PDB file of all heavy atoms in Angstrom:
ATOM      1  N   ILE A 352      33.364  52.226 -61.613  1.00  0.00           N
ATOM      2  CA  ILE A 352      34.311  52.276 -60.499  1.00  0.00           C
ATOM      3  C   ILE A 352      33.595  52.565 -59.174  1.00  0.00           C
ATOM      4  O   ILE A 352      32.881  53.561 -59.042  1.00  0.00           O
ATOM      5  CB  ILE A 352      35.394  53.325 -60.766  1.00  0.00           C
ATOM      6  CG1 ILE A 352      36.228  52.914 -61.989  1.00  0.00           C
ATOM      7  CG2 ILE A 352      36.300  53.507 -59.548  1.00  0.00           C
ATOM      8  CD1 ILE A 352      37.233  53.941 -62.422  1.00  0.00           C
ATOM      9  N   LEU A 353      33.765  51.646 -58.221  1.00  0.00           N
ATOM     10  CA  LEU A 353      33.177  51.730 -56.885  1.00  0.00           C
ATOM     11  C   LEU A 353      31.662  51.919 -56.920  1.00  0.00           C
ATOM     12  O   LEU A 353      31.070  52.451 -55.984  1.00  0.00           O
ATOM     13  CB  LEU A 353      33.820  52.876 -56.084  1.00  0.00           C
ATOM     14  CG  LEU A 353      35.287  52.688 -55.695  1.00  0.00           C
ATOM     15  CD1 LEU A 353      35.832  53.948 -55.026  1.00  0.00           C
ATOM     16  CD2 LEU A 353      35.470  51.506 -54.758  1.00  0.00           C
ATOM     17  N   ALA A 354      31.036  51.442 -57.992  1.00  0.00           N
ATOM     18  CA  ALA A 354      29.593  51.610 -58.136  1.00  0.00           C
ATOM     19  C   ALA A 354      28.803  50.525 -57.417  1.00  0.00           C
ATOM     20  O   ALA A 354      27.614  50.692 -57.172  1.00  0.00           O
ATOM     21  CB  ALA A 354      29.203  51.637 -59.617  1.00  0.00           C
ATOM     22  N   LYS A 355      29.459  49.405 -57.120  1.00  0.00           N
ATOM     23  CA  LYS A 355      28.774  48.293 -56.456  1.00  0.00           C
ATOM     24  C   LYS A 355      29.313  48.137 -55.045  1.00  0.00           C
ATOM     25  O   LYS A 355      30.493  48.308 -54.786  1.00  0.00           O
ATOM     26  CB  LYS A 355      28.983  46.991 -57.231  1.00  0.00           C
ATOM     27  CG  LYS A 355      28.226  46.908 -58.543  1.00  0.00           C
ATOM     28  CD  LYS A 355      28.436  45.549 -59.198  1.00  0.00           C
ATOM     29  CE  LYS A 355      27.615  45.419 -60.466  1.00  0.00           C
ATOM     30  NZ  LYS A 355      28.062  46.368 -61.495  1.00  0.00           N
ATOM     31  N   LYS A 356      28.412  47.795 -54.143  1.00  0.00           N
ATOM     32  CA  LYS A 356      28.808  47.437 -52.786  1.00  0.00           C
ATOM     33  C   LYS A 356      27.932  46.273 -52.350  1.00  0.00           C
ATOM     34  O   LYS A 356      26.826  46.080 -52.860  1.00  0.00           O
ATOM     35  CB  LYS A 356      28.657  48.624 -51.836  1.00  0.00           C
ATOM     36  CG  LYS A 356      27.234  49.186 -51.728  1.00  0.00           C
ATOM     37  CD  LYS A 356      27.183  50.385 -50.810  1.00  0.00           C
ATOM     38  CE  LYS A 356      25.750  50.928 -50.703  1.00  0.00           C
ATOM     39  NZ  LYS A 356      25.664  52.090 -49.773  1.00  0.00           N
ATOM     40  N   GLY A 357      28.439  45.466 -51.450  1.00  0.00           N
ATOM     41  CA  GLY A 357      27.656  44.331 -50.998  1.00  0.00           C
ATOM     42  C   GLY A 357      28.537  43.151 -50.668  1.00  0.00           C
ATOM     43  O   GLY A 357      29.765  43.228 -50.704  1.00  0.00           O
ATOM     44  N   ASP A 358      27.898  42.040 -50.380  1.00  0.00           N
ATOM     45  CA  ASP A 358      28.617  40.874 -49.890  1.00  0.00           C
ATOM     46  C   ASP A 358      29.123  39.996 -51.025  1.00  0.00           C
ATOM     47  O   ASP A 358      30.267  40.089 -51.440  1.00  0.00           O
ATOM     48  CB  ASP A 358      27.706  40.084 -48.949  1.00  0.00           C
ATOM     49  CG  ASP A 358      28.424  38.943 -48.251  1.00  0.00           C
ATOM     50  OD1 ASP A 358      29.643  38.789 -48.456  1.00  0.00           O
ATOM     51  OD2 ASP A 358      27.782  38.209 -47.497  1.00  0.00           O
ATOM     52  N   GLY A 359      28.272  39.146 -51.574  1.00  0.00           N
ATOM     53  CA  GLY A 359      28.733  38.130 -52.513  1.00  0.00           C
ATOM     54  C   GLY A 359      28.893  38.638 -53.925  1.00  0.00           C
ATOM     55  O   GLY A 359      28.294  38.115 -54.856  1.00  0.00           O
ATOM     56  N   ILE A 360      29.699  39.662 -54.111  1.00  0.00           N
ATOM     57  CA  ILE A 360      29.915  40.209 -55.444  1.00  0.00           C
ATOM     58  C   ILE A 360      31.393  40.160 -55.803  1.00  0.00           C
ATOM     59  O   ILE A 360      32.258  40.108 -54.934  1.00  0.00           O
ATOM     60  CB  ILE A 360      29.388  41.664 -55.563  1.00  0.00           C
ATOM     61  CG1 ILE A 360      30.153  42.601 -54.607  1.00  0.00           C
ATOM     62  CG2 ILE A 360      27.895  41.722 -55.293  1.00  0.00           C
ATOM     63  CD1 ILE A 360      29.790  44.061 -54.791  1.00  0.00           C
ATOM     64  N   CYS A 361      31.653  40.188 -57.099  1.00  0.00           N
ATOM     65  CA  CYS A 361      33.022  40.258 -57.609  1.00  0.00           C
ATOM     66  C   CYS A 361      33.229  41.627 -58.253  1.00  0.00           C
ATOM     67  O   CYS A 361      32.273  42.289 -58.660  1.00  0.00           O
ATOM     68  CB  CYS A 361      33.269  39.151 -58.634  1.00  0.00           C
ATOM     69  SG  CYS A 361      33.123  37.489 -57.943  1.00  0.00           S
ATOM     70  N   ILE A 362      34.463  42.029 -58.378  1.00  0.00           N
ATOM     71  CA  ILE A 362      34.765  43.353 -58.931  1.00  0.00           C
ATOM     72  C   ILE A 362      34.477  43.383 -60.424  1.00  0.00           C
ATOM     73  O   ILE A 362      34.690  42.417 -61.148  1.00  0.00           O
ATOM     74  CB  ILE A 362      36.241  43.730 -58.643  1.00  0.00           C
ATOM     75  CG1 ILE A 362      36.459  45.219 -58.878  1.00  0.00           C
ATOM     76  CG2 ILE A 362      37.200  42.851 -59.430  1.00  0.00           C
ATOM     77  CD1 ILE A 362      37.787  45.723 -58.318  1.00  0.00           C
ATOM     78  N   ASP A 363      33.941  44.511 -60.899  1.00  0.00           N
ATOM     79  CA  ASP A 363      33.730  44.692 -62.334  1.00  0.00           C
ATOM     80  C   ASP A 363      34.265  46.053 -62.795  1.00  0.00           C
ATOM     81  O   ASP A 363      33.789  46.641 -63.747  1.00  0.00           O
ATOM     82  CB  ASP A 363      32.260  44.527 -62.727  1.00  0.00           C
ATOM     83  CG  ASP A 363      31.332  45.496 -62.010  1.00  0.00           C
ATOM     84  OD1 ASP A 363      31.821  46.354 -61.231  1.00  0.00           O
ATOM     85  OD2 ASP A 363      30.108  45.402 -62.223  1.00  0.00           O
ATOM     86  N   TRP A 364      35.240  46.542 -62.066  1.00  0.00           N
ATOM     87  CA  TRP A 364      35.985  47.719 -62.515  1.00  0.00           C
ATOM     88  C   TRP A 364      37.474  47.440 -62.331  1.00  0.00           C
ATOM     89  O   TRP A 364      37.867  46.491 -61.656  1.00  0.00           O
ATOM     90  CB  TRP A 364      35.561  48.979 -61.763  1.00  0.00           C
ATOM     91  CG  TRP A 364      35.903  49.006 -60.310  1.00  0.00           C
ATOM     92  CD1 TRP A 364      37.062  49.444 -59.742  1.00  0.00           C
ATOM     93  CD2 TRP A 364      35.077  48.565 -59.214  1.00  0.00           C
ATOM     94  NE1 TRP A 364      37.013  49.318 -58.372  1.00  0.00           N
ATOM     95  CE2 TRP A 364      35.807  48.778 -58.021  1.00  0.00           C
ATOM     96  CE3 TRP A 364      33.795  48.022 -59.135  1.00  0.00           C
ATOM     97  CZ2 TRP A 364      35.295  48.475 -56.767  1.00  0.00           C
ATOM     98  CZ3 TRP A 364      33.295  47.714 -57.881  1.00  0.00           C
ATOM     99  CH2 TRP A 364      34.021  47.934 -56.731  1.00  0.00           C
ATOM    100  N   GLY A 365      38.291  48.273 -62.931  1.00  0.00           N
ATOM    101  CA  GLY A 365      39.730  48.024 -62.903  1.00  0.00           C
ATOM    102  C   GLY A 365      40.128  47.009 -63.951  1.00  0.00           C
ATOM    103  O   GLY A 365      39.298  46.546 -64.756  1.00  0.00           O
ATOM    104  N   TYR A 366      41.428  46.639 -63.953  1.00  0.00           N
ATOM    105  CA  TYR A 366      41.954  45.825 -65.048  1.00  0.00           C
ATOM    106  C   TYR A 366      42.906  44.741 -64.533  1.00  0.00           C
ATOM    107  O   TYR A 366      43.730  44.979 -63.646  1.00  0.00           O
ATOM    108  CB  TYR A 366      42.705  46.712 -66.042  1.00  0.00           C
ATOM    109  CG  TYR A 366      41.821  47.765 -66.675  1.00  0.00           C
ATOM    110  CD1 TYR A 366      41.758  49.051 -66.135  1.00  0.00           C
ATOM    111  CD2 TYR A 366      41.025  47.470 -67.776  1.00  0.00           C
ATOM    112  CE1 TYR A 366      40.935  50.021 -66.689  1.00  0.00           C
ATOM    113  CE2 TYR A 366      40.193  48.431 -68.339  1.00  0.00           C
ATOM    114  CZ  TYR A 366      40.151  49.699 -67.790  1.00  0.00           C
ATOM    115  OH  TYR A 366      39.337  50.650 -68.345  1.00  0.00           O
ATOM    116  N   LEU A 367      42.768  43.575 -65.131  1.00  0.00           N
ATOM    117  CA  LEU A 367      43.700  42.483 -64.913  1.00  0.00           C
ATOM    118  C   LEU A 367      44.865  42.636 -65.879  1.00  0.00           C
ATOM    119  O   LEU A 367      44.669  42.965 -67.053  1.00  0.00           O
ATOM    120  CB  LEU A 367      42.998  41.145 -65.169  1.00  0.00           C
ATOM    121  CG  LEU A 367      43.901  39.911 -65.058  1.00  0.00           C
ATOM    122  CD1 LEU A 367      44.086  39.518 -63.603  1.00  0.00           C
ATOM    123  CD2 LEU A 367      43.325  38.750 -65.863  1.00  0.00           C
ATOM    124  N   TYR A 368      46.086  42.367 -65.392  1.00  0.00           N
ATOM    125  CA  TYR A 368      47.283  42.481 -66.225  1.00  0.00           C
ATOM    126  C   TYR A 368      48.128  41.207 -66.115  1.00  0.00           C
ATOM    127  O   TYR A 368      48.314  40.667 -65.022  1.00  0.00           O
ATOM    128  CB  TYR A 368      48.150  43.657 -65.778  1.00  0.00           C
ATOM    129  CG  TYR A 368      47.555  45.019 -66.016  1.00  0.00           C
ATOM    130  CD1 TYR A 368      46.765  45.634 -65.048  1.00  0.00           C
ATOM    131  CD2 TYR A 368      47.786  45.689 -67.222  1.00  0.00           C
ATOM    132  CE1 TYR A 368      46.230  46.889 -65.259  1.00  0.00           C
ATOM    133  CE2 TYR A 368      47.243  46.952 -67.433  1.00  0.00           C
ATOM    134  CZ  TYR A 368      46.473  47.547 -66.460  1.00  0.00           C
ATOM    135  OH  TYR A 368      45.938  48.796 -66.672  1.00  0.00           O
ATOM    136  N   ILE A 369      48.643  40.772 -67.254  1.00  0.00           N
ATOM    137  CA  ILE A 369      49.652  39.719 -67.292  1.00  0.00           C
ATOM    138  C   ILE A 369      50.798  40.236 -68.153  1.00  0.00           C
ATOM    139  O   ILE A 369      50.620  40.449 -69.365  1.00  0.00           O
ATOM    140  CB  ILE A 369      49.110  38.415 -67.893  1.00  0.00           C
ATOM    141  CG1 ILE A 369      47.915  37.908 -67.081  1.00  0.00           C
ATOM    142  CG2 ILE A 369      50.210  37.344 -67.930  1.00  0.00           C
ATOM    143  CD1 ILE A 369      47.239  36.684 -67.679  1.00  0.00           C
ATOM    144  N   PRO A 370      51.974  40.481 -67.566  1.00  0.00           N
ATOM    145  CA  PRO A 370      53.087  41.025 -68.342  1.00  0.00           C
ATOM    146  C   PRO A 370      53.847  39.923 -69.082  1.00  0.00           C
ATOM    147  O   PRO A 370      53.866  38.754 -68.663  1.00  0.00           O
ATOM    148  CB  PRO A 370      53.973  41.669 -67.277  1.00  0.00           C
ATOM    149  CG  PRO A 370      53.717  40.850 -66.056  1.00  0.00           C
ATOM    150  CD  PRO A 370      52.286  40.398 -66.127  1.00  0.00           C
ATOM    151  N   ALA A 371      54.508  40.317 -70.157  1.00  0.00           N
ATOM    152  CA  ALA A 371      55.322  39.374 -70.943  1.00  0.00           C
ATOM    153  C   ALA A 371      56.713  39.264 -70.338  1.00  0.00           C
ATOM    154  O   ALA A 371      57.732  39.363 -71.044  1.00  0.00           O
ATOM    155  CB  ALA A 371      55.390  39.833 -72.397  1.00  0.00           C
ATOM    156  N   ILE A 372      56.767  39.060 -69.047  1.00  0.00           N
ATOM    157  CA  ILE A 372      58.041  38.870 -68.348  1.00  0.00           C
ATOM    158  C   ILE A 372      58.371  37.387 -68.380  1.00  0.00           C
ATOM    159  O   ILE A 372      57.589  36.561 -67.914  1.00  0.00           O
ATOM    160  CB  ILE A 372      57.933  39.369 -66.895  1.00  0.00           C
ATOM    161  CG1 ILE A 372      57.717  40.886 -66.866  1.00  0.00           C
ATOM    162  CG2 ILE A 372      59.170  38.992 -66.086  1.00  0.00           C
ATOM    163  CD1 ILE A 372      57.395  41.439 -65.507  1.00  0.00           C
ATOM    164  N   ASN A 373      59.478  37.056 -69.004  1.00  0.00           N
ATOM    165  CA  ASN A 373      59.931  35.659 -69.141  1.00  0.00           C
ATOM    166  C   ASN A 373      59.044  34.839 -70.074  1.00  0.00           C
ATOM    167  O   ASN A 373      59.035  33.613 -70.010  1.00  0.00           O
ATOM    168  CB  ASN A 373      60.014  34.958 -67.777  1.00  0.00           C
ATOM    169  CG  ASN A 373      60.862  35.707 -66.797  1.00  0.00           C
ATOM    170  OD1 ASN A 373      61.902  36.240 -67.168  1.00  0.00           O
ATOM    171  ND2 ASN A 373      60.419  35.785 -65.551  1.00  0.00           N
ATOM    172  N   GLY A 374      58.300  35.513 -70.926  1.00  0.00           N
ATOM    173  CA  GLY A 374      57.448  34.790 -71.849  1.00  0.00           C
ATOM    174  C   GLY A 374      56.740  35.722 -72.809  1.00  0.00           C
ATOM    175  O   GLY A 374      57.040  36.921 -72.877  1.00  0.00           O
ATOM    176  N   GLU A 375      55.784  35.183 -73.525  1.00  0.00           N
ATOM    177  CA  GLU A 375      55.011  35.938 -74.498  1.00  0.00           C
ATOM    178  C   GLU A 375      53.559  35.956 -74.053  1.00  0.00           C
ATOM    179  O   GLU A 375      53.055  34.956 -73.541  1.00  0.00           O
ATOM    180  CB  GLU A 375      55.132  35.275 -75.869  1.00  0.00           C
ATOM    181  CG  GLU A 375      54.478  36.042 -77.002  1.00  0.00           C
ATOM    182  CD  GLU A 375      54.700  35.373 -78.353  1.00  0.00           C
ATOM    183  OE1 GLU A 375      55.495  34.408 -78.414  1.00  0.00           O
ATOM    184  OE2 GLU A 375      54.076  35.816 -79.334  1.00  0.00           O
ATOM    185  N   VAL A 376      52.877  37.095 -74.215  1.00  0.00           N
ATOM    186  CA  VAL A 376      51.468  37.180 -73.859  1.00  0.00           C
ATOM    187  C   VAL A 376      50.648  37.440 -75.114  1.00  0.00           C
ATOM    188  O   VAL A 376      51.074  38.177 -76.020  1.00  0.00           O
ATOM    189  CB  VAL A 376      51.202  38.286 -72.814  1.00  0.00           C
ATOM    190  CG1 VAL A 376      51.832  37.914 -71.481  1.00  0.00           C
ATOM    191  CG2 VAL A 376      51.679  39.653 -73.276  1.00  0.00           C
TER     192      VAL A 376
END
Side-chain angles (χ1 to χ4, degrees):
I352 296 174
L353 292 174
K355 288 183 176 65
K356 60 182 180 178
D358 187 2
I360 63 174
C361 297
I362 195 167
D363 58 3
W364 67 88
Y366 299 94
L367 176 81
Y368 292 91
I369 301 175
I372 294 171
N373 306 320
E375 186 177 351
V376 293

